[in-house]
Amino acid sequence: MDSLKDKCGIFGIYGKDEDVARISFFGLYSLQHRGQEGAGITVTDGKNLKSVKGLGLVSSVFNEQKINSLKGFSAIGHTRYSTTGGNKLCNVQPIVLEEDFALAHNGNIINAMDLSRQLGSDIGLTSTSDTEIMGWVIKSSQGKNWEEKILSSFEKFQGAFSMVVLTKNKLIVFRDTYGFRPLVLGRLNGSYIACSETCALDTVGAKFIREVAPGEVIVIDDSGMQVVGKIESAKKSFCLFEYVYLARPDSILNKQLVHQVRQRSGELLAHESPVKADLVVAVPDSGTSAAIGYSKASGIPYGEVLIKNRYIGRTFIQPEQHIREMGVRIKFNPLKEIVKEKRIIIVDDSIVRGTTIKKIVKMLRSCGAKKIHIRVCSPPVTDPCYFGIDTPDKKQLIASRMTVSEIKKFIGADSLAYLSLDGLKKASRIKPNRLCTSCFDGKYPMPVKGGFRKDVFEN
């Protein structure tokens, strides 16, 4: 895996008898994998909205003092990953508008620039976030309350949005009609929770209720949880890449445990592209589940060869030149004694630019590996995503400009094979016509303007 990142994770809670800020912190902590460059929490006490936001990991943005300063009965939180040039404090969510309306968003709106031009001249944008555009569009839409405004604005938004919204006395949850990004509901004692993945519910001790349906708008307040509207759409397009890499393996999406989907993909890959070897290993941690599946189906033992430094996170401190030249060794260290004279199958979730796997192959060669076979448990990533994943431009995607044999030569492997798209769909156990596969086949579920720039508006 080179560098594909989901832009964010979201969390919301309504509970009069709970420390909502503290619960939100732990919820965001479990969603850290969805965004590592900024985090924020906004709470309401019925009179005012108060926020704490900052750049960095959840654990570095918040401390006891900051959590204790956020008193209220409902909260929303966000953990964010930015694209190049977008890692600014003004873009860290939740976005708060006029002190009575806050939003946290997972996804990407492809018509944000057009919508921004339609806003009144009296509205001064404070960020480069498509989420702020959405907020102002909702505020200016027709309706006697927030939920009606949200429902009347739905058709104006083109793209992906799973959202939690906080007003002075309500938590509002909604999801685009395509259902690109996950959004689930849970119950904690007398409280309700909405978040990106079920792993966050598990972390805070909440019980999973169900997923938010595509197009559904839900209000949670003193009266409980109520579905106030649903915008129907014939087209559903859940992101297939959530199963490949984005979601945590212990999350359940569309009634499928992510770990099991990845394991099935590894089993199918072993049947599609067998090869003789002594050991099956993973690029940890995203390739581990699939490597276990490949080992199971092939009968070749599974073992650890690459030891990952799990505490490195994302750093903005530049290493000294001699450390920089080590490249991938900062993140992975090989078990040299196990690698020597072995024929090794390396299972990874995807290849984006090809630079990381190339360094891994070179490193294992230097450790004395006899043969190195690369098996990828997803199809080649050939096209950019416009619906919430930070994909490089098409020209930076190695599979868009090289054949499989050319990629094999570039990374220095003895063989290279990808799982077929049909195989990945089969592993997901979701009806193929309900999946978004655009990063693998360039078939977008809605028209994407050729001039759309992902770096102009980002969440």
Side-chain angles (χ1 to χ4, degrees), residues 234-250:
K235 179 71 175 173
K236 299 293 183 291
S237 298
F238 183 77
C239 172
L240 185 55
F241 206 80
E242 288 280 352
Y243 288 116
V244 174
Y245 174 74
L246 298 180
R248 260 178 45 168
D250 52 334

Side-chain angles (χ1 to χ4, degrees), residues 301-320:
Y302 168 81
E304 283 199 355
V305 161
L306 296 170
I307 302 304
K308 183 178 181 180
N309 181 352
R310 290 177 172 81
Y311 301 97
I312 192 168
R314 288 186 60 83
T315 177
F316 301 99
I317 300 172
Q318 290 298 316
E320 292 185 7

Side-chain angles (χ1 to χ4, degrees), residues 18 40 57 88 102 134 152 162-163 165 174 212-213 234 247 258 275 288 313 321 368 411 419 421 428:
E18 300 288 351
L57 299 174
K88 303 171 185 176
M134 293 184 73
S152 66
S162 288
M163 301 194 75
V165 163
F174 57 101
V212 177
V258 173
V275 66
T288 302
Q321 182 61 29
I411 65 178
L419 180 63
L421 183 53
S428 76

Side-chain angles (χ1 to χ4, degrees), residues 9 82 109 136 241 312 341 396 427:
S82 71
I109 302 302
W136 286 116
F241 206 80
I312 192 168
E341 294 299 314
Q396 293 179 298

Side-chain angles (χ1 to χ4, degrees), residues 41-44 48-52 69-71 96 99 166:
I41 295 174
T42 301
V43 301
T44 180
N48 300 292
L49 302 187
K50 185 175 182 180
S51 302
V52 171
S69 73
L70 294 171
K71 299 298 183 185
V96 182
E99 305 306 318
L166 189 67

